[in-house]
Amino acid sequence: MHLHRALTAIFDFDNTFARDLDGFYAPQAPEPVREPAMVRFNRPLATLLGLDADALDSPAGAAIFAGNSMPEGATPLAQAYAGHQFGGFNPQLGDGRAVLLGELLGTDGRRYDLALKGSGRTPFSRGGDGRAALGPVLREYLVGEAMHALGVPTTRALAAVTTGETVYRDRPLPGAVLARVASSHLRVGTFQFFAARGLTHFVEPLLHYAIGRHDPAASDDPNPALAFLRGVAERQASLVARWMHLGFVHGVMNTDNTTISGETIDYGPCAFLEAHDPRAVFSSIDTMGRYAYGQQPTIMQWNLTRLAETLLPLVDPDEARSLALASEVLRSFVARFDHEWLAGARRKLGLVDEREDDDALARDWVALLADQHVDHTLAWRRLADVDALRPMFTDPGALDGWLARWRERVDGRGLDDRLRAANPRIIPRNHRVEEAIDAAYAGDLSVFDRLLDAVRDPFGDDPRHDDLAEPAPPGFLDGYQTFCGT
Ligand code: AMP
Ligand code: MG
């Protein structure tokens, strides 16, 4: 018992959301589970958070991350938010299966939310059971760590625990809880919840809170609301540009899954492209292709427009002026995205200076990948190994024409190193993620561990990971789907 108390005192919480935003959440403890067991604990992340990894990677740690024992200083709560889901507005979503335990200051000086996902029912659960299955928890763990290693802002898993209970989806599955770390859980949908109810006196403190956490410079701006909108738009432009370069398809870019921080959140129906295809969709419920790979920049601008709407009364008391100012920021998203995309493309092409026609060179390359259905990740990577690249193209003539232009343009000195540093070899390919999940359901975590090791070294050439760099066997992706809300 003494040991237990020492462990729950391990977190040095400082819970600004609970303190400053009374009325924006429902106090809610996690629902205890039958039999907590640690599946995997993220030691590097624990270290970043200044936590005692040895103490937490234990049965007592499992009890905390399952929600059975409440650490000292935690103020568990379910956040309110709304959201446009596939274009339709739902005024009441909220944390239906998650609770925020509190905030921690990392050793990097940044503030992090620590939340449990799959922690039981809350006032926002609607018809849901408040729970998560082991497979989606492991997917979120893997893909979050991959994204982090790839340099993409993302929420991350601190721990995955099983509950000893069964959840019922299309079949009975082992229940699990994910301990999730995020720069915050503020979303476009958080603003929408209050704006949709006409509660400007709620939107205003929310804005100031969000500025404090993510855009401190905006508080000194003559127009803080507008500066904040610009900040979110810039972070999201950079984020989506990174997704596009990685061939990442988020799959459910609803406004409740669009963060204020600019981090990727909610790895439900996400997937990585194999053959490059702007129309690629993997989510079973995205029947219209709203969130297809190539749609993502457009959708992000649409989501930011929904955020802008919530801020209009705070941008300027004059409606027309407010609209004009916000519209200008929203328009600039396109230029910002293009700028970020081109900067990323230059790095991936190994270009060290800027020239006028770089954009055309990059776009023609991507068009070539789409035309010939070439594996997105390997094609970029094999710019450093053209002998291996050529067999990937059914019409190598078109490739040779483009290669001649690129070679003329690029500085050959140190090129291979630049290309390898900018173009990953290892991504969490969909068939490998499925394999890891299937093995975990069968009680074997070695497949997960091996994949996790590999995705944490995405730019390396470790021969032990060779098979994980390869595309799926023919036919695997035909009809491949991942499922939301699982
Ligand atoms: P998501 O699509 O996972 O971002 O979730 C959308 C909304 O559905 C959020 O309000 C979630 O909290 C809620 N939700 C998803 N799954 C469940 C579940 N199993 N039980 C209760 N609420 C859920
Ligand atoms: Mg969500």
Side-chain angles (χ1 to χ4, degrees):
M1 206 53 226
H2 175 73
L3 194 77
H4 198 71
R5 199 169 302 122
L7 187 58
T8 55
I10 237 171
F11 299 89
D12 198 2
F13 282 115
D14 177 39
N15 303 337
T16 59
F17 189 90
R19 226 164 36 226
D20 300 351
L21 291 181
D22 195 18
F24 290 74
Y25 58 85
Q28 176 67 53
E31 287 182 329
V33 302
R34 191 159 59 199
E35 198 186 340
M38 186 67 75
V39 180
R40 283 298 175 262
F41 183 72
N42 189 340
R43 283 174 171 261
L45 181 55
T47 304
L48 172 69
L49 295 173
L51 299 173
D52 183 340
D54 288 325
L56 285 170
D57 191 1
S58 67
I64 290 174
F65 298 123
N68 283 30
S69 94
M70 193 44 54
E72 257 172 50
T75 51
L77 59 88
Q79 294 185 335
Y81 54 84
H84 276 90
Q85 300 181 302
F86 293 90
F89 186 60
N90 187 332
Q92 172 108 4
L93 292 169
D95 285 332
R97 54 162 167 174
V99 294
L100 175 65
L101 292 182
E103 298 147 39
L104 302 166
L105 288 175
T107 54
D108 57 359
R110 293 168 193 253
R111 178 176 296 273
Y112 293 97
D113 276 9
L114 175 59
L116 303 181
K117 179 173 174 181
S119 52
R121 289 181 49 80
T122 77
F124 303 106
S125 295
R126 296 171 291 157
D129 61 2
R131 293 299 181 187
L134 179 60
V137 163
L138 293 180
R139 173 184 285 111
E140 184 156 344
Y141 196 134
L142 266 175
V143 183
E145 288 308 284
M147 293 294 253
H148 176 69
L150 290 161
V152 182
T154 179
T155 68
R156 295 176 71 187
L158 178 61
V161 298
T162 44
T163 60
E165 296 175 6
T166 302
V167 297
Y168 296 89
R169 297 294 181 258
D170 55 329
R171 57 189 168 124
L173 294 167
V177 179
L178 182 78
R180 181 161 80 183
V181 171
S183 287
S184 87
H185 283 82
L186 299 173
R187 312 139 193 271
V188 169
T190 318
F191 285 81
Q192 289 182 290
F193 183 94
F194 299 96
R197 289 165 177 75
L199 302 171
T200 307
H201 60 292
F202 274 73
V203 179
E204 195 164 8
L206 181 62
L207 170 66
H208 288 302
Y209 180 82
I211 284 176
R213 264 185 101 160
H214 300 296
D215 289 283
S219 59
D220 300 325
D221 193 279
N223 193 330
L226 198 64
F228 169 73
L229 180 63
R230 196 177 297 116
V232 181
E234 287 176 359
R235 287 190 289 278
Q236 288 292 351
S238 161
L239 179 68
V240 177
R242 285 164 191 267
W243 289 356
M244 298 306 284
H245 279 310
L246 286 169
F248 177 74
V249 186
H250 182 281
V252 61
M253 285 177 72
N254 294 334
T255 56
D256 53 300
N257 291 335
T258 301
T259 57
I260 297 306
S261 65
E263 287 179 345
T264 316
I265 196 168
D266 272 12
Y267 297 97
C270 65
F272 285 81
L273 293 181
E274 296 231 324
H276 186 99
D277 178 5
R279 289 158 312 167
V281 173
F282 300 97
S283 167
S284 60
I285 60 174
D286 192 2
T287 46
M288 305 291 283
R290 178 180 172 89
Y291 299 143
Y293 169 69
Q295 284 282 98
Q296 296 183 120
T298 306
I299 289 292
M300 185 52 73
Q301 190 192 28
W302 193 91
N303 289 352
L304 291 166
T305 306
R306 307 287 80 78
L307 175 64
E309 285 163 358
T310 73
L311 298 172
L312 286 176
L314 302 172
V315 167
D316 198 286
D318 179 86
E319 207 174 309
R321 200 172 139 67
S322 182
L323 262 176
L325 290 169
S327 301
E328 189 192 309
V329 172
L330 293 167
R331 266 195 304 276
S332 73
F333 172 83
V334 178
R336 184 78 183 198
F337 171 80
D338 287 345
H339 173 85
E340 296 280 352
W341 189 87
L342 179 57
R346 281 200 177 100
R347 278 200 323 113
K348 288 171 77 71
L349 290 172
L351 308 181
V352 287
D353 57 345
E354 300 180 10
R355 285 191 214 160
E356 190 82 54
D357 46 6
D358 291 344
D359 195 52
L361 185 70
R363 286 181 195 281
D364 289 349
W365 165 246
V366 171
L368 206 54
L369 302 186
D371 282 351
Q372 302 203 32
H373 312 290
V374 184
D375 185 87
H376 177 92
T377 304
L378 283 186
W380 280 101
R381 178 75 174 185
R382 289 181 181 169
L383 286 172
D385 180 6
V386 170
D387 289 342
L389 177 65
R390 190 168 285 102
M392 299 174 71
F393 286 75
T394 41
D395 169 16
L399 170 67
D400 287 333
W402 183 88
L403 283 174
R405 282 166 64 200
W406 175 57
R407 285 219 184 83
E408 177 124 330
R409 164 71 181 88
V410 76
D411 183 347
R413 281 167 304 177
L415 177 61
D416 277 17
D417 288 343
R418 289 201 301 282
L419 291 172
R420 279 173 212 280
N423 296 298
R425 186 173 79 115
I426 307 281
I427 50 157
R429 288 184 184 266
N430 312 305
H431 66 299
R432 296 300 183 180
V433 175
E434 295 304 325
E435 204 173 71
I437 291 171
D438 288 345
Y441 280 143
D444 173 11
L445 277 158
S446 65
V447 183
F448 172 89
D449 287 337
R450 181 167 174 265
L451 183 55
L452 182 61
D453 270 352
V455 300
R456 280 177 166 165
D457 180 24
F459 300 101
D461 270 310
D462 191 331
R464 288 174 308 170
H465 301 154
D466 283 354
D467 58 321
L468 300 177
E470 292 302 315
F476 177 86
L477 277 187
D478 302 346
Y480 174 70
Q481 293 186 330
T482 49
F483 297 89
C484 309
T486 44

